[in-house]
Amino acid sequence: MDQTPPGRLPITRQDTNYIRPLEGSKGHFRYHWQSHNVKQSGVDDMVLLSKITEDGIVDNLKKRYMDDYIFTYIGPVLISINPFKQMPYFGEKEIEMYQGAAPYENPPHIYALADTMFRNMIIDGENQCVIISGESGAGKTVAAKYIMGYISRVSGGGPKVQHIKDIILQSNPLLEAFGNAKTVRNNNSSRFGKYFEIQFSPGGEPDGGKISNFLLEKSRVVARNLGERSFHIFYQLIEGASADQKANLGITNLEYYFYLNQSDSYKVEDINDQKDFQETLHAMNVIGIFTEEQTMVLQIVAGVLHLGNISFKELGNYAAVDSEEFLAFPAFLLGINQERLKEKLTSRKMDGKWGGKSETINVTLNVEQACYTRDALSKALHSRIFDYLVDSINKAMEKDHEEYNIGVLDIYGFEIFQKNGFEQFCINFVNEKLQQIFIELTLKAEQEEYVQEGIKWTPIDYFNNKIVCDLIENKVNPPGILSILDDVCATMHATGEGADQTLLQKLQMQIGTHEHFNSWNQGFIIHHYAGKVSYNVEGFCERNRDVLFTDLIELVQSSELPFVRALFPENLQAEKKGRPTTAGSKIKKQANGLVGTLMKCTPHYIRCIKPNETKKPRDWEESRVKHQVEYLGLKENIRVRRAGYAYRRVFKKFLQRYAILTKETWPSWRGDEKQGVVYLLRSVNMDSDQYQLGKSKIFIKAPESLFLLEEMRERKYDTYARAIQKAWRKYAARKRYVQMREQASDLLLNKKERRRNSINRNFVGDYIGMEDHPELRQFIGKREKVEFAHTVTKYDRRFKSIKRDLVLTPKFLYLIGREKVKEGSAKGQVKEVLKRKMELERILTVSLSTMQDDFFILHEQEYDSLLESVFKTEFLSLLSKRYEERMQRKLPLRFSNTLEMKVRKDNWGPWSAGSSRQVQFIQGNGQVAVLKPSSKTLQVSIGPGLPKNSRPTKRDLTRVKQTTRPQMTAYPMRAAPPPPGLHQNGVLNVLQNNPRYPPVNSRPSQRPVQQSTSTGRPALPRPGSHLSDKVAQIQSNLDFLKVPEQGAAGNRTGMTRPSEGKAHRQMTSRPPPAGGRPKPQPKPKPQVPQCKALYAYDAQDTDELSFNADNVIDIIKEDPSGWWIGRLRGKQGLFPNNYVAKI
């Protein structure tokens, strides 16, 4: 089988007829379009595994991981393994490779999933989301960044859209600074959850966005486990602040701050806090948080650090500030009174009721309560700053109305620590809810759908974790853990262990018999989908209650700084009704709202796996990976996927999408929709075992079958799109070139005589058809646009003529020739050679005569080039335009009948020094230049042309021409085309043994007399002949004014002539015609002269005749221009006389 380059999708005739996988080695299935010359590590898609066991899955993942393939598929689900190093396949090359490609066309990649989401949103008009799950340190945050980066790169848009893209990308480093931290399991662990909605216009441009954040781990500000860090921003500020900032904010070293020195971890080896601080400030600028607000944000960050250094001592059973000098800086930074700060940290107002009357009592706090109050203020300040940043990002991306969106869920991973508290309980609850979505949509819903649609199906068992979700969030019968926790918090009056012990007792009493719950002396155990986790109840109630005392809110609201006051907008005078909102009820509400949002979208999944605890590359802990494979349910996922169907659509939508594949279904199927689907699938020859029809939907088994349908659909649309584009480009080009022609004539106005056949000619630009000539295109830059291309005649130092392809691009001018290969395997072959490449800036001037000839000299710093081109006016206008753009001045044009040219230096002999040559122009006769070369002078004589003040005729060439001409006198501006095979790539190929086309080297016995046409047009010369043949072969080839027959490419390659491919009747025994009766007398021969077609000809315009070889045409009028008027099959029109022979 032919090998296919990676990233390509070869579709052959056989491919379009049969849609089925091919069996490869080791029982794995491979497909016709998959690359066969790429190293295989395991299998790309684990649906294709020969044995579906946990060990087989782990072994396949390990093989791929060790070969640096971190992505693997299970159908549409992407498995991603954290490599703990930077991988090389996230660059521009990969973005280009995956953009618009079928998901299985290239190796598994997060870009493939992102591209599928983006295209599905545009095609189906449905919101998409990606759920990234896995434990802490598995690489979820990085995956989210790659998705947002990819979508930003491939979506279009102007300056406003680019601004939104910048905000989307810059929101990551900003929120990471304030919401991420180093934990024992992950150096950049997200300590908050976020759901980022990127909003799009119908055209697919990102024009808005929205971030929802969940459960910031505020407690990390004041305390954390040994070996962990607080949020990155504290370390960034201390390491990256300028000298002025440090002086203003009271910044010293990391060890000085109590909030940072408890866990004994300051530096992280792969994090540069100083550099990251500058990125954080840059992100604020992009988002629209400018200098004053930035200063206030950093002031509050520093204020939190200084608050932590306030310590308390016991004074008569009450708390007192140990050293009042530590009060000064936080009070200054927060803009509050120092004495007031001291008072609120050591005392609290309490409302009491006695005999129907309310009174406020001032209660002095003990040391434990004072520390709690200080920490509560610090946590509140950091939490409000975080909310302010999220709100600022949302305001910067705000959109009036939502259209389409792609949601990216990046949430804290499942966590199991030595000591697990209230935060781990909430984090694991949210992960439990996400696992429930995965089960609902990939395992449960899929199987239920097959049953409803009547598809043959064998049910597959799996663990449904709804029972665990209910254990945590149920309201009643039995109540869930969160409900019991809220009840305990509603009756607690003080901090301490009492409420936590009450919680433990109530849990044991009410849900102690639940199969997924156990209790122990310090807490309880929950059997999560990811394993058993033991939670210590210490601090559960206090953290759940999450009350910010009124005194602290009053304190902050008394600040002199408006920015600080705005962070706490609470109305303390409002009457309080009902229970206060607890942290548990808040996260429960947020989790259920998130599930509701995700269920409204088309979901995509990334399952992240952490291969080790050492955070080192190529380190594989088998037992750890196997545990994750088990609890993520990958085995069940593969089994359901393998037995199931990759694609399903309701009949109506399926018909709408693929209607274009057949005439009967386009534009809409008339009749029963199910029958329409059957007809369409049979039309594309899809095997019946590749799909099933349900009651209202079609189910297609292999994704590859769907890709082939998509490929066929794309081809159909591509065909029609090309036809529309061709028509539009033709119209636009005509309009543009009419304008160009008029501008070009201004260059020569009153300076040079004009040729009759060129003054009203349309401009085409590419007369060679560069797109069809890769042998020429190889010399041009990959992204260079060809402005002009034509085969011209170049004259060397001895005035010997030779063909060159002249190509003009916006930066360079190329002269391409041909040479015979003198050695090697290609010896004797003619190959294209780049003879000259000129930067436009190096052109000094262009010289022309004042006569109607086609000569011009390009003067360059090194040496000059004498060229002859019938399209000189068009070339000069384009060259002049590009020269002016690059040099900011007009191209110097010099007009004289005596032109000097500097020739190239030879490298040998006495003539090695460079010298000059002269070209003299004299008045002669006729329209064809006669050349007389001597050693250092070339004399060119030519008859008079149109006056120097001639301008193009003002007429609308963009209007479509009439099908018939009122008078058959306006002949085409181009010369009659040569017969097939006469020209090839600019080289004359004379037909052998044809008296109409004598060999090039045959010298005629006498010079033919110059003829004029009936309309005053002269006969046209043939380019490319030697000087001695210049006049001799005027009539033998009129190709030099030939305008390309279609489009800018100028070649009609690949088009079938009417005579080609004709069906010939079989010569079998037939009955005698007319029953053997004698033929009637033939009609008398027509009196008009006739000719017989030698070759087939396709009409290039509406007033021309098309004919096949051997057709007989009536000659109405002969004309020396080469275009005769004739009649064929009742139609009258023009045809080229060199395609016919008179009878």
Side-chain angles (χ1 to χ4, degrees):
M1 185 174 286
D2 292 339
Q3 289 189 332
T4 306
R8 296 292 175 203
L9 182 62
I11 298 288
T12 64
R13 188 180 300 278
Q14 290 83 354
D15 297 330
T16 58
N17 289 335
Y18 299 99
I19 305 178
R20 65 162 66 95
L22 310 170
E23 190 163 353
S25 60
K26 299 183 183 177
H28 301 152
F29 284 104
R30 307 202 55 181
Y31 295 89
H32 61 82
W33 40 261
Q34 284 184 312
S35 306
H36 295 268
N37 58 349
V38 177
K39 180 185 175 185
Q40 290 293 314
S41 296
V43 292
D44 286 354
D45 189 337
M46 291 197 287
V47 172
L48 306 178
L49 279 174
S50 50
K51 291 184 180 178
I52 306 173
T53 62
E54 265 96 6
D55 289 336
I57 294 167
V58 171
D59 184 55
N60 187 67
L61 292 174
K62 181 180 180 180
K63 277 182 192 171
R64 294 180 61 75
Y65 177 75
M66 290 302 181
D67 286 336
D68 283 343
Y69 293 104
I70 64 170
F71 298 119
T72 309
Y73 291 133
I74 298 178
V77 177
L78 182 69
I79 312 300
S80 172
I81 303 178
N82 191 343
F84 291 108
K85 64 178 180 180
Q86 185 63 46
M87 303 305 288
Y89 38 74
F90 293 98
E92 290 295 321
K93 175 188 165 190
E94 284 72 27
I95 288 175
E96 194 174 318
M97 190 163 104
Y98 284 90
Q99 186 177 355
Y104 282 76
E105 185 179 333
N106 296 310
H109 202 291
I110 197 166
Y111 287 166
L113 180 137
D115 192 72
T116 300
M117 277 200 302
F118 182 65
R119 283 193 295 155
N120 286 358
M121 178 196 71
I122 295 171
I123 292 168
D124 298 332
E126 295 174 356
N127 293 340
Q128 311 285 312
C129 69
V130 57
I131 300 170
I132 308 171
S133 56
E135 60 183 63
S136 181
K140 298 181 300 300
T141 300
V142 175
K145 283 188 205 172
Y146 280 130
I147 287 173
M148 289 193 276
Y150 179 86
I151 290 171
S152 175
R153 283 288 291 108
V154 301
S155 51
K160 185 186 174 189
V161 169
Q162 187 56 49
H163 180 59
I164 295 293
K165 288 181 183 180
D166 292 340
I167 293 170
I168 290 168
L169 297 177
Q170 290 301 321
S171 66
N172 282 317
L174 181 58
L175 294 182
E176 281 184 20
F178 286 82
N180 284 30
K182 174 191 182 288
T183 66
V184 291
R185 305 191 65 189
N186 183 1
N187 288 346
N188 187 32
S189 177
S190 297
R191 308 317 299 164
F192 71 104
K194 79 169 180 229
Y195 182 62
F196 201 133
E197 289 178 73
I198 307 172
Q199 297 166 348
F200 294 84
S201 69
E205 294 95 7
D207 58 357
K210 181 184 173 187
I211 295 177
S212 306
N213 63 302
F214 311 96
L215 191 71
L216 177 71
E217 190 190 22
K218 295 181 290 187
S219 60
R220 183 161 291 271
V221 173
V222 300
R224 67 211 67 87
N225 293 328
L226 196 66
E228 296 188 347
R229 294 207 315 178
S230 185
F231 295 107
H232 294 321
I233 187 62
F234 297 114
Y235 306 88
Q236 289 179 11
L237 178 63
I238 293 168
E239 294 289 338
S242 64
D244 287 345
Q245 285 174 320
K246 287 184 177 181
N248 294 332
L249 302 176
I251 299 297
T252 59
N253 55 33
L254 292 163
E255 293 82 359
Y256 172 76
Y257 300 100
F258 175 73
Y259 279 161
L260 303 184
N261 63 26
Q262 300 172 72
S263 54
D264 195 31
S265 178
Y266 304 108
K267 305 278 186 184
V268 183
E269 59 184 72
D270 57 346
I271 291 178
N272 184 335
D273 291 312
Q274 190 172 352
K275 179 170 165 279
D276 290 349
F277 182 64
Q278 297 307 319
E279 285 187 17
T280 302
L281 296 180
H282 173 66
M284 287 194 204
N285 282 323
V286 170
I287 285 155
I289 304 171
F290 298 116
T291 309
E292 289 182 12
E293 289 89 351
Q294 286 181 29
T295 302
M296 293 311 305
V297 168
L298 298 178
Q299 209 164 302
I300 292 169
V301 170
V304 168
L305 289 175
H306 285 289
L307 274 174
N309 281 4
I310 300 173
S311 57
F312 304 94
K313 61 184 178 184
E314 198 167 316
L315 199 65
N317 292 331
Y318 297 118
V321 174
D322 192 19
S323 178
E324 293 197 8
E325 66 186 38
F326 288 105
L327 289 167
F329 238 108
F332 163 71
L333 293 173
L334 299 175
I336 53 182
N337 181 275
Q338 184 174 327
E339 285 301 315
R340 193 174 172 83
L341 174 62
K342 174 183 166 185
E343 177 194 341
K344 295 298 180 184
L345 290 178
T346 54
S347 66
R348 183 187 308 159
K349 286 180 184 176
M350 294 190 72
D351 294 332
K353 286 187 178 181
W354 185 260
K357 291 183 179 180
S358 297
E359 59 178 338
T360 302
I361 307 166
N362 232 10
V363 177
T364 309
L365 307 176
N366 60 30
V367 171
E368 183 187 351
Q369 291 168 333
C371 288
Y372 177 85
T373 304
R374 175 201 65 196
D375 292 347
L377 178 58
S378 299
K379 289 188 289 185
L381 285 166
H382 186 81
S383 174
R384 300 290 174 103
I385 279 291
F386 189 81
D387 290 342
Y388 162 77
L389 295 173
V390 171
D391 191 48
S392 298
I393 294 168
N394 285 339
K395 282 179 180 174
M397 297 189 295
E398 200 168 17
K399 189 178 170 184
D400 296 336
H401 59 286
E402 287 191 25
E403 287 161 313
Y404 304 127
N405 67 66
I406 291 177
V408 181
L409 180 64
D410 174 22
I411 206 155
Y412 18 61
F414 199 91
E415 290 189 344
I416 307 174
F417 294 135
Q418 287 293 105
K419 181 180 178 181
N420 300 291
F422 178 73
E423 284 80 10
Q424 280 67 47
F425 173 73
C426 292
I427 286 169
N428 293 344
F429 163 63
V430 173
N431 276 274
E432 203 70 64
K433 293 291 287 185
L434 294 179
Q435 177 69 1
Q436 190 182 7
I437 293 179
F438 184 78
I439 289 168
E440 284 284 335
L441 296 179
T442 62
L443 304 177
K444 181 169 178 275
E446 187 158 339
Q447 298 197 67
E448 286 176 355
E449 187 176 35
Y450 296 146
V451 174
Q452 289 167 5
E453 288 285 329
I455 301 295
K456 294 174 186 175
W457 179 255
T458 304
I460 290 169
D461 294 329
Y462 58 90
F463 169 65
N464 191 338
N465 74 330
K466 186 176 185 300
I467 190 170
V468 181
C469 294
D470 290 343
L471 167 67
I472 297 171
E473 66 176 343
N474 249 11
K475 288 187 176 179
V476 288
N477 295 328
I481 294 171
L482 287 174
S483 294
I484 297 169
L485 178 59
D486 283 353
D487 286 341
V488 173
C489 289
T491 57
M492 70 180 279
H493 298 290
T495 60
E497 296 179 2
D500 294 333
Q501 287 306 312
T502 303
L503 169 66
L504 197 53
Q505 290 166 12
K506 284 199 170 190
L507 288 173
Q508 180 61 40
M509 190 166 52
Q510 297 192 39
I511 56 172
T513 57
H514 196 285
E515 60 180 307
H516 288 272
F517 179 87
N518 296 108
S519 63
W520 56 295
N521 60 347
Q522 291 183 318
F524 57 91
I525 297 168
I526 295 179
H527 297 233
H528 287 286
Y529 77 95
K532 295 180 181 180
V533 181
S534 59
Y535 297 100
N536 191 316
V537 293
E538 183 187 346
F540 248 68
C541 293
E542 197 61 58
R543 286 174 179 171
N544 181 55
R545 195 166 64 153
D546 196 30
V547 176
L548 186 62
F549 298 120
T550 307
D551 299 65
L552 295 180
I553 297 172
E554 285 179 350
L555 173 67
V556 182
Q557 287 182 347
S558 69
S559 170
E560 298 171 352
L561 304 172
F563 183 88
V564 176
R565 291 200 302 272
L567 294 176
F568 294 81
E570 289 90 338
N571 181 5
L572 299 177
Q573 308 305 317
E575 188 179 349
K576 297 184 178 101
K577 293 181 181 179
R579 285 186 182 182
T581 305
T582 61
S585 61
K586 187 178 178 184
I587 195 67
K588 176 181 166 183
K589 183 181 176 184
Q590 284 182 326
N592 286 313
L594 175 63
V595 168
T597 302
L598 295 174
M599 295 291 265
K600 291 175 188 172
C601 302
T602 302
H604 305 263
Y605 305 95
I606 301 176
R607 314 288 266 170
C608 296
I609 290 176
K610 187 177 182 182
N612 60 62
E613 279 297 334
T614 59
K615 306 175 194 171
K616 291 179 181 176
R618 302 181 72 79
D619 185 8
W620 185 266
E621 294 179 20
E622 194 92 3
S623 58
R624 162 164 288 286
V625 176
K626 188 174 181 180
H627 176 63
Q628 292 171 78
V629 166
E630 285 172 356
Y631 76 66
L632 288 171
L634 299 191
K635 185 176 78 172
E636 291 78 10
N637 190 194
I638 294 170
R639 288 177 64 201
V640 171
R641 188 72 198 172
R642 192 159 176 168
Y645 293 82
Y647 173 86
R648 76 258 354 239
R649 267 289 186 278
V650 294
F651 295 142
K652 186 178 180 182
K653 277 198 171 184
F654 182 82
L655 278 172
Q656 284 174 349
R657 178 143 188 83
Y658 300 108
I660 199 169
L661 295 183
T662 70
K663 290 181 180 178
E664 290 73 16
T665 54
W666 180 261
S668 60
W669 171 262
R670 294 174 185 174
D672 180 59
E673 289 174 348
K674 189 171 185 177
Q675 292 304 314
V677 171
V678 172
Y679 178 84
L680 203 152
L681 293 173
R682 285 177 180 168
S683 299
V684 298
N685 298 322
M686 187 180 285
D687 286 353
S688 57
D689 62 351
Q690 286 294 303
Y691 65 89
Q692 275 201 55
L693 298 174
K695 295 173 184 175
S696 63
K697 293 181 180 178
I698 175 173
F699 294 80
I700 295 179
K701 197 169 190 69
E704 299 73 31
S705 303
L706 180 67
F707 303 154
L708 195 52
L709 283 173
E710 285 291 317
E711 175 75 15
M712 294 166 76
R713 179 180 177 271
E714 287 293 323
R715 288 185 179 187
K716 284 279 188 182
Y717 273 111
D718 187 56
T719 302
Y720 295 130
R722 284 175 185 272
I724 295 167
Q725 287 174 345
K726 180 181 172 184
W728 165 251
R729 285 172 179 163
K730 185 176 180 181
Y731 166 78
R734 280 183 174 180
K735 194 171 183 178
R736 183 169 70 253
Y737 285 126
V738 165
Q739 295 172 346
M740 283 177 57
R741 188 191 65 199
E742 291 175 356
Q743 292 168 0
S745 70
D746 291 341
L747 288 174
L748 309 180
L749 188 65
N750 296 323
K751 296 173 183 174
K752 185 173 177 69
E753 295 176 0
R754 303 301 304 276
R755 299 181 70 88
R756 289 180 185 277
N757 288 346
S758 70
I759 192 163
N760 283 320
R761 186 182 61 77
N762 287 342
F763 287 179
V764 174
D766 184 0
Y767 294 90
I768 294 175
M770 294 292 287
E771 290 302 320
D772 297 322
H773 291 285
E775 72 277 7
L776 301 178
R777 186 80 217 191
Q778 64 177 318
F779 302 111
I780 314 299
K782 188 177 179 182
R783 300 190 183 277
E784 274 191 275
K785 179 187 174 187
V786 174
E787 302 268 342
F788 178 87
H790 180 232
T791 303
V792 302
T793 305
K794 179 187 178 296
Y795 295 89
D796 64 11
R797 61 194 295 129
R798 297 175 183 82
F799 302 114
K800 183 180 177 182
S801 66
I802 190 165
K803 285 293 173 190
R804 291 283 185 261
D805 292 321
L806 175 67
V807 181
L808 175 67
T809 70
K811 292 183 181 179
F812 298 101
L813 192 115
Y814 300 86
L815 282 170
I816 302 167
R818 284 154 189 80
E819 288 182 357
K820 272 191 178 181
V821 180
K822 295 180 181 178
E823 55 186 21
S825 59
K827 185 177 179 181
Q829 293 180 16
V830 176
K831 286 204 171 181
E832 288 67 22
V833 180
L834 180 62
K835 290 293 186 179
R836 193 166 192 193
K837 180 178 178 181
M838 249 185 276
E839 293 180 13
L840 299 191
E841 293 91 333
R842 293 178 64 85
I843 295 175
L844 303 175
T845 185
V846 179
S847 296
L848 302 96
S849 77
T850 62
M851 298 184 181
Q852 64 160 328
D853 61 276
D854 296 321
F855 288 85
F856 60 93
I857 300 174
L858 291 172
H859 298 277
E860 199 243 11
Q861 294 172 8
E862 194 176 347
Y863 63 95
D864 304 335
S865 294
L866 173 60
L867 305 173
E868 183 183 15
S869 170
V870 291
F871 302 132
K872 64 184 178 306
T873 308
E874 180 179 353
F875 167 72
L876 287 173
S877 68
L878 290 167
L879 176 64
S880 178
K881 181 181 174 185
R882 289 303 180 189
Y883 183 90
E884 190 170 348
E885 285 175 3
R886 298 190 69 78
M887 302 296 288
Q888 303 301 311
R889 58 186 171 86
K890 290 188 180 298
L891 174 69
L893 296 178
R894 192 168 63 207
F895 296 89
S896 172
N897 288 337
T898 302
L899 304 179
E900 296 284 339
M901 61 176 282
K902 183 171 57 177
V903 297
R904 188 177 187 177
K905 295 179 181 179
D906 279 337
N907 294 325
W908 56 275
W911 302 278
S912 59
S915 58
S916 64
R917 298 288 184 270
Q918 196 176 76
V919 185
Q920 295 176 350
F921 296 86
I922 61 172
Q923 193 77 47
N925 297 313
Q927 307 299 310
V928 181
V930 179
L931 311 184
K932 290 184 179 178
S934 63
S935 60
K936 291 196 175 185
T937 304
L938 174 65
Q939 189 183 83
V940 181
S941 74
I942 192 167
L946 294 176
K948 294 179 181 179
N949 60 357
S950 301
R951 292 187 62 83
T953 308
K954 293 279 185 181
R955 57 176 179 162
D956 187 4
L957 291 184
T958 63
R959 192 175 301 160
V960 178
K961 295 178 183 178
Q962 300 296 317
T963 55
T964 59
R965 298 187 184 187
Q967 293 179 342
M968 286 294 190
T969 53
Y971 298 96
M973 288 302 168
R974 69 184 191 281
L982 193 63
H983 270 71
Q984 182 178 357
N985 206 14
V987 179
L988 190 65
N989 292 337
V990 178
L991 299 174
Q992 297 295 321
N993 303 321
N994 190 334
R996 293 169 58 83
Y997 301 98
V1000 175
N1001 57 5
S1002 64
R1003 190 178 296 275
S1005 57
Q1006 63 179 20
R1007 182 176 298 177
V1009 180
Q1010 184 67 42
Q1011 296 181 7
S1012 295
T1013 68
S1014 58
T1015 54
R1017 291 193 177 90
L1020 304 174
R1022 175 182 60 81
S1025 61
H1026 281 271
L1027 299 177
S1028 57
D1029 301 330
K1030 200 72 181 176
V1031 182
Q1033 298 179 19
I1034 292 170
Q1035 291 296 327
S1036 63
N1037 182 3
L1038 301 177
D1039 190 39
F1040 77 107
L1041 265 187
K1042 180 178 175 183
V1043 176
E1045 294 145 346
Q1046 80 173 30
N1051 286 344
R1052 293 176 63 87
T1053 54
M1055 294 191 64
T1056 308
R1057 301 289 187 191
S1059 64
E1060 294 169 6
K1062 286 193 296 185
H1064 296 283
R1065 296 175 184 168
Q1066 292 182 346
M1067 300 302 290
T1068 57
S1069 59
R1070 293 174 289 180
R1077 289 187 290 275
K1079 295 180 183 177
Q1081 289 296 319
K1083 291 181 180 180
K1085 289 186 178 180
Q1087 298 301 310
V1088 294
Q1090 290 182 317
C1091 57
K1092 184 178 180 181
L1094 300 175
Y1095 319 100
Y1097 178 70
D1098 282 339
Q1100 306 299 300
D1101 211 334
T1102 54
D1103 55 1
E1104 296 177 17
L1105 291 177
S1106 290
F1107 49 81
N1108 295 330
D1110 300 330
N1111 281 163
V1112 176
I1113 305 168
D1114 294 341
I1115 301 172
I1116 301 216
K1117 185 180 178 183
E1118 297 181 26
D1119 191 274
S1121 69
W1123 289 98
W1124 291 0
I1125 301 169
R1127 185 187 296 111
L1128 177 65
R1129 292 186 289 273
K1131 182 183 176 184
Q1132 186 170 308
L1134 293 160
F1135 65 93
N1137 71 343
N1138 52 354
Y1139 271 59
V1140 299
K1142 274 189 176 182
I1143 297 173

